[in-house]
Amino acid sequence: MSLSISNAGSGSNRIVIALLSALALVGVLAISPPAHAKPKRAISVYPLPGTPVASDATTFSFRGIKKKNLGPVTVTGSKSGRHTGRRLAHSDGRGVSYIPKRKFVRGELVRVKTKRRIRMGKNGNFWVRIGRFYGSDETGKPAPAPPVTGGLRTRPGLKPPNLQVKTKTAGIAPGKIFFAPKSDGLTIADGQGRITWFRPTSYGGTGEGVYNFRTQKYRKRPVLTYWKGASTITGYSQIGFFEILNRKYNRIARFEPANGYKADIHEFVITPRNTALVLSYRGVIWNMKKFGGPVNGHLVDNVVQEIDIKTGAVIFEWHAIGNVSVGATTAEVPKDTSSFDYFHTNSIQLDGDSFLVSARKTSSVYRIDRATGKIKWVLRGSGRKGRSDFKMGPGTSFAYQHDALRLPNGDISVFDNGSGRFAPTVNEESSGLVVRLSGKTKKTRKATLVRRNTHPDKVVSASQANAQPLSNGGMFIGWGSAPQMTEFDKDGSITFDAVFPDSAISSYRAYKAPWHGIPRQRPAIASQPLLEGGTPGGMTVWASWNGASNIANWRVLAGPDEGNLTEVATHPWENLETEITVGDKYGAVVQVEALDRTGKVLGKSAAVSVGKRSR
């Protein structure tokens, strides 16, 4: 803009010039940001920019922005070309996923262009490389379970596992026990080891069934969670899914990992933001020549995901390959193309703005930044190879561990397998370990022993297992491949100890927590007359109510018909199914009532003819 003003020296003109100059300055200020203005907040993307082994079915999840504010996104594969897609808003309103309509080509480079500030990207743009995968991704159907024989009298389809209690004291912590013998089913027991609920797996065969059964909270309500399906088949693909049941034992959610990955058995944690932390394994063709392996080796990638349960969208994704060197493994690198699981993730926990990840094959716990995927520190329990950020104090070593947890006071607990299939071993027996971390730099960081709970029988668990800290300061241990579970008090004394008499049965983990179930069905009853010399001489009654949590006694009613029943016996609740003997004074019809400790009727079975079973 140009101005032409005559007689500029006059007073009136000087005033006009001053006014125009002021207006021009205001205009400049209006279009120029102040010097102290903050740049737009960076957006995190998953899979992380630079990921070298992204899935060929990957989506791109943008966190820290609403769907309407994302703007244009261009996705181009170096071999597959331009990809169009749809957008899926995350249920918390803080992210959006871009979902391509077709798969990418394995091995190609995929470039993503946006007009947003992308963390770890450049000018709003980033890339990932699609992995080259081996093995079959076909899932098929697991084998059906064989017919149940020797089930309960009242529920012939139920044959719960036998838990033999060796020790129980008054010092046990309150709560129910949750475990899942793999080929049997989901099991809840009371604090004394008596079964209160059982649901058999519908799959049969070796390695098929249920894993990682526990109670958690979803949408602030108590739920039951677990993995169900078939374990590894080919190339680390799996037939399985994660399920959530409510207090009525109804399924309210079922899902798998996102981006084409299969559900791994090792972990399923629900976070306070109603997301799920899950794992997946996938075979990747990888150059392992540097580590003594083949150029086209078969390396197993460990994928950590946080999933929006409601929408199935990815909230976080992290890969072991590209973040942890193959050289960190404690296992021997194969010379051929055998599948090599060098990392073996087995637990994940939300830890503030990070995640704690336990890797069995490196004997290490990793703290991983949620925004960037960078490893903040490594707690290496044993071995000379790989990164280690803490000096391990006396008694703190561990090996092939499972179940790394951050405790409320900041300590770290792990189940120290101590021995495994991947020698050399460190400790001769397995244990529940708690260590305290201190220091902020590598020179000052140290791990100090807080406690180590060991069994007097020197139990060795070669695989699996968990060590759950309890609210009373104790610890509940599921011994994994060793068919046993033990509760310790805060002083390390055993308050509860039980084994599976059938040594072939084991549970991946075992937990203890409060639970109050509400069964969908009414109590069940079966009966059988007793004969003395060919004449009636009483009867035996069996009563059960699968999933009820607070039955104290069973009351038996009998009479000539359903309208004329009177009490003929009362018997304490003993287990999932209770056997009751009734004298010779009874009629043609029988019924049972479940009573609580005050005598209140919690539920009643159908009235059935003596010798019959309710349906």
Side-chain angles (χ1 to χ4, degrees):
M1 180 179 67
S2 62
L3 294 174
S4 178
I5 300 175
S6 60
N7 302 319
S10 66
S12 60
N13 285 336
R14 285 196 296 271
I15 294 173
V16 171
I17 292 172
L19 289 172
L20 290 173
S21 299
L23 289 172
L25 179 60
V26 170
V28 171
L29 292 174
I31 62 174
S32 302
H36 62 275
K38 294 182 179 180
K40 291 183 178 179
R41 190 173 185 179
I43 299 168
S44 293
V45 180
Y46 308 104
L48 293 158
T51 295
V53 285
S55 171
D56 47 350
T58 193
T59 63
F60 297 95
S61 292
F62 299 85
R63 290 293 297 172
I65 191 169
K66 293 184 177 181
K67 178 181 177 181
K68 65 180 181 179
N69 296 332
L70 179 59
V73 176
T74 302
V75 179
T76 307
S78 60
K79 297 179 181 179
S80 59
R82 180 79 173 269
H83 287 251
T84 58
R86 63 183 180 90
R87 302 178 187 215
L88 174 66
H90 301 167
S91 63
D92 63 0
R94 299 173 58 188
V96 54
S97 292
Y98 184 88
I99 305 175
K101 291 183 179 180
R102 57 191 174 92
K103 286 187 175 183
F104 296 97
V105 175
R106 296 181 178 187
E108 73 172 331
L109 190 72
V110 177
R111 299 187 183 277
V112 182
K113 295 183 178 181
T114 75
K115 292 186 177 180
R116 295 294 173 184
R117 184 182 170 210
I118 302 298
R119 185 175 279 112
M120 300 170 64
K122 185 177 181 180
N123 299 324
N125 307 324
F126 64 95
W127 62 267
V128 300
R129 185 172 291 281
I130 306 302
R132 296 183 300 142
F133 307 107
Y134 69 89
S136 172
D137 290 325
E138 298 299 321
T139 56
K141 293 183 179 180
V148 175
T149 58
L152 301 180
R153 294 275 190 151
T154 53
R155 300 283 302 275
L158 299 183
K159 188 179 180 181
N162 182 19
L163 190 62
Q164 180 181 331
V165 177
K166 299 169 63 179
T167 301
K168 57 181 178 181
T169 72
I172 60 173
K176 298 289 194 293
I177 299 170
F178 301 80
F179 60 103
K182 304 176 186 66
S183 58
D184 285 358
L186 311 172
T187 312
I188 302 176
D190 69 2
Q192 299 183 54
R194 300 174 298 184
I195 309 300
T196 63
W197 181 73
F198 175 70
R199 176 172 293 180
T201 175
S202 57
Y203 301 152
T206 303
E208 298 173 353
V210 288
Y211 287 74
N212 206 13
F213 177 49
R214 65 193 298 188
T215 178
Q216 302 192 67
K217 283 192 175 181
Y218 179 51
R219 297 179 180 175
K220 299 181 179 181
R221 295 182 178 181
V223 293
L224 299 174
T225 65
Y226 53 92
W227 178 95
K228 179 179 180 180
S231 59
T232 303
I233 47 174
T234 304
Y236 282 83
S237 293
Q238 293 176 317
I239 308 169
F241 40 81
F242 304 106
E243 286 194 338
I244 303 177
L245 307 182
N246 62 15
R247 286 175 58 194
K248 294 182 179 181
Y249 305 100
N250 294 325
R251 189 177 71 204
I252 58 175
R254 172 189 281 187
F255 66 97
E256 296 181 74
N259 294 348
Y261 293 108
K262 306 304 178 186
D264 177 69
I265 64 174
H266 287 91
E267 190 64 285
F268 175 15
V269 174
I270 298 179
T271 73
R273 48 186 177 234
N274 298 317
T275 59
L277 304 181
V278 298
L279 289 169
S280 185
Y281 288 9
R282 193 172 188 183
V284 175
I285 299 174
W286 195 254
N287 186 348
M288 294 191 289
K289 183 178 180 180
K290 178 181 177 181
F291 309 102
V295 173
N296 291 312
H298 286 187
L299 188 64
V300 178
D301 188 21
N302 290 211
V303 185
V304 174
Q305 285 188 341
E306 182 179 8
I307 300 295
D308 182 349
I309 296 175
K310 184 176 181 180
T311 65
V314 172
I315 305 297
F316 174 85
E317 182 174 303
W318 183 87
H319 296 250
I321 294 179
N323 286 290
V324 179
S325 170
V326 176
T329 187
T330 57
E332 183 177 351
V333 178
K335 305 295 183 182
D336 57 15
T337 55
S338 302
S339 289
F340 182 45
D341 179 12
Y342 82 107
F343 197 69
H344 198 91
T345 310
N346 55 36
S347 76
I348 324 165
Q349 186 199 26
L350 188 64
D351 186 28
D353 63 351
S354 303
F355 294 98
L356 285 187
V357 171
S358 168
R360 173 171 169 82
K361 293 286 191 73
T362 65
S363 292
S364 299
V365 177
Y366 299 80
R367 189 165 194 253
I368 299 169
D369 184 83
R370 186 174 183 270
T372 65
K374 302 289 186 182
I375 296 174
K376 291 185 173 181
W377 52 249
V378 180
L379 177 67
R380 191 173 181 90
S382 60
R384 297 180 180 180
K385 298 185 296 180
R387 175 177 168 183
S388 182
D389 294 318
F390 292 84
K391 180 180 179 181
M392 305 301 289
T396 62
S397 64
F398 57 86
Y400 317 116
Q401 79 293 332
H402 286 75
D403 196 31
L405 302 173
R406 173 80 75 172
L407 307 189
N409 68 351
D411 292 345
I412 302 287
S413 69
V414 299
F415 179 86
D416 175 17
N417 290 84
S419 176
R421 295 166 293 179
F422 318 109
T425 61
V426 174
N427 302 308
E428 294 182 355
E429 59 184 306
S430 302
S431 59
L433 173 67
V434 179
V435 298
R436 182 158 298 154
L437 305 183
S438 59
K440 295 183 178 180
T441 66
K442 189 170 182 178
K443 289 184 178 180
T444 61
R445 282 175 170 164
K446 183 179 180 180
T448 304
L449 178 66
V450 175
R451 62 187 297 190
R452 185 184 287 274
N453 290 320
T454 58
H455 199 282
D457 294 339
K458 296 187 180 297
V459 176
V460 175
S461 175
S463 66
Q464 309 165 77
N466 68 305
Q468 177 196 3
L470 300 175
S471 59
N472 65 355
M475 177 177 283
F476 193 84
I477 291 181
W479 295 95
S481 59
Q484 193 163 350
M485 59 184 71
T486 308
E487 181 178 332
F488 298 86
D489 65 16
K490 63 181 181 180
D491 298 319
S493 298
I494 292 178
T495 58
F496 176 85
D497 196 29
V499 298
F500 301 107
D502 180 358
S503 60
I505 296 177
S506 64
S507 178
Y508 169 57
R509 291 176 175 174
Y511 292 93
K512 191 169 192 181
W515 175 256
H516 179 72
I518 305 173
R520 292 178 298 171
Q521 300 173 326
R522 64 196 305 183
I525 184 175
S527 63
Q528 178 178 315
L530 298 175
L531 299 179
E532 294 182 359
T535 61
M539 67 175 167
T540 301
V541 174
W542 293 271
S544 70
W545 198 6
N546 195 24
S549 303
N550 55 347
I551 304 174
N553 294 289
W554 285 107
R555 179 160 60 199
V556 182
L557 306 175
D561 53 60
E562 186 175 348
N564 293 280
L565 301 178
T566 58
E567 179 179 339
V568 295
T570 300
H571 194 281
W573 178 88
E574 293 180 344
N575 213 317
L576 184 56
E577 183 173 81
T578 299
E579 181 179 318
I580 308 164
T581 300
V582 178
D584 59 0
K585 292 184 178 180
Y586 65 90
V589 176
V590 63
Q591 183 181 45
V592 290
E593 294 178 335
L595 311 177
D596 68 9
R597 296 185 182 280
T598 67
K600 177 183 176 181
V601 177
L602 302 173
K604 58 178 65 179
S605 72
V608 298
S609 299
V610 173
K612 301 293 183 179
R613 174 175 58 84
S614 62
R615 297 183 183 275

